[in-house]
Amino acid sequence: MARSRQGPPCTIVIKLGTSSIVHEKTHQPLLSVLSSIVETVVNLRSEGHKVVLVSSGAIGVGLQRMNLPAKPKSVSGKQALAAIGQGRLIALWDDLFGHLGQPIGQVLLTRGDISDVCLGYIYGLWQNSLTCFALLVSVSAISELLSMGVVPIVNENDTVSVSEIKFGDNDTLSAITSSMIHADYLFLLTDVDGLYTANPRKDPSAKQIEEVTSISAIRSQVSTTTLGSSLGTGGMETKIIAAEIATGAGVTTIITSSKRPENVFSIIEYHNSLKMPSPQDHSPGDESPSSLPRPPHTVFTPSPTPMKDLKSWTSHTLHPSGSVVIDSGAHRVLSKRESGGRLLSAGVVGVVGAFASGQAVRVVIRKPVNGTVVEVASAHSTRPNSPIPGHVSTKPLSRSGSSGDLSRDELRNENNAETEQFTDEDVVEVGRGLANYNSAQISKVQGLNSSFLPQMLGYADSEYVVENITIRTPP
Ligand SMILES: Nc1ncnc2c1ncn2[C@@H]1O[C@H](COP(=O)(O)OP(=O)(O)O)[C@@H](O)[C@H]1O
Ligand SMILES: N[C@@H](CCC(=O)OP(=O)(O)O)C(=O)O
């Protein structure tokens, strides 16, 4: 049976950079580029593919609206221009897609939304009620839009993004979005047709790289230090970082020109042809892989062992919001596979910074003094369920084994009495995980047996304070 070169329907994220949306000098929208993108997306949809568009351009469109010559330097200036431009940008997309009867939906994200909201969903942790709550908000909205036949148009919510929660560039945002929704392809459409050995705008002898199988190897072969248009953010460097994130999650990543968006079809076709069975299995009419022309592009091949579990994702990709300080016993236990990467409150000796439940946190230990980790002897050593002074169990005790006699106030007093305050200088990171409770709650129950959680917090969704921990530095 002849196989379609388009292959089975797939999920495609297309990212369009500012340099492809507005004119570098006049800042006028590049209507012909935008119209071709709209036609391509609608055609892809009619072939059964699901398409998410990540559109930069809010600041660029804002510049044109306010008749300003250049991007402001200040964060607040950029935030204001994004607020001015985003509405017009989405109106423009809605207008163009509307002519072809294609509904769109605007999705504005910050890094905080992604780390809190989406990751439980991405790696199938919906059984976990804490992440389940979060996932309902954002990724499920994108999935719902896709299943309704809508094209989600994603951008960073620049106006509310402060540096701690900022992606900063839409290349990274598109990579995380494509990982989140398990996309098959991420297309980074830009004003050059691929990655070159050096910036082709500056160096005419630069050669295009066709395929990248190892991102670390390619870094030494290309120069990405010069930026492109004055409007884009990050140039090729952020595209390589994006490719690293996306291919690490199993997404084939392609850099190609926004001037020929219809090439998305022929690029998918070309790569499908490479996956076709050997020539003797071909049906009449199928062409051999080599007979298809190769549209100009750079392909980053997906990792053969994509990160499939939340632990790896947490440790590599998420921006940690604070730290949970653990004792050496907990460090030892967490380093063993059997621990399941889950930390009980009994093993916690402190908290640094503020974070919400569901956010990524650093798992840290007290900095070794003269090569030895100083065991923290604080409230925990005298607390119920701490059998050995200076050491806290990481095993949950049964309720009957705990000191149910202590009143809530007595527990709180004891907790406050000797709790040591840590700063980032006092600690060293040994791993990362996802918090099940916020920083204030973890600090309240640190050193206590997990059976005290309901009494201390008024509820206990999980007996573990941090989960999905990967320890990168064992004791
Ligand atoms: N090694 C390289 N290969 C290709 N382009 C490069 C390279 N190094 C720097 N660039 C520049 O990166 C620019 C694309 O990045 P950018 O301006 O941020 O685009 P976008 O707005 O589409 O994200 C190109 O215009 C090019 O000038
Ligand atoms: N979120 C910003 C774009 C940031 C960005 O990464 O821009 P680009 O490098 O052009 O993709 C905006 O809408 O103006």
Side-chain angles (χ1 to χ4, degrees), residues 15-21 56 169-171 188-202 206-207 209 221-240 255 258:
K15 184 261 169 176
L16 197 59
T18 310
S19 58
S20 307
I21 293 178
S56 304
D169 70 89
N170 277 3
D171 297 318
L188 300 169
L189 300 189
T190 183
D191 59 353
V192 286
D193 58 10
L195 172 67
Y196 283 71
T197 47
N199 186 345
R201 283 188 184 223
K202 310 257 154 97
K207 301 264 173 324
I209 313 263
Q221 294 164 35
V222 299
S223 153
T224 56
T225 44
T226 49
L227 296 179
S229 78
S230 53
L231 295 174
T233 308
M236 254 324 125
E237 188 52 41
T238 48
K239 287 176 192 28
I240 294 180
I255 300 178
S258 57

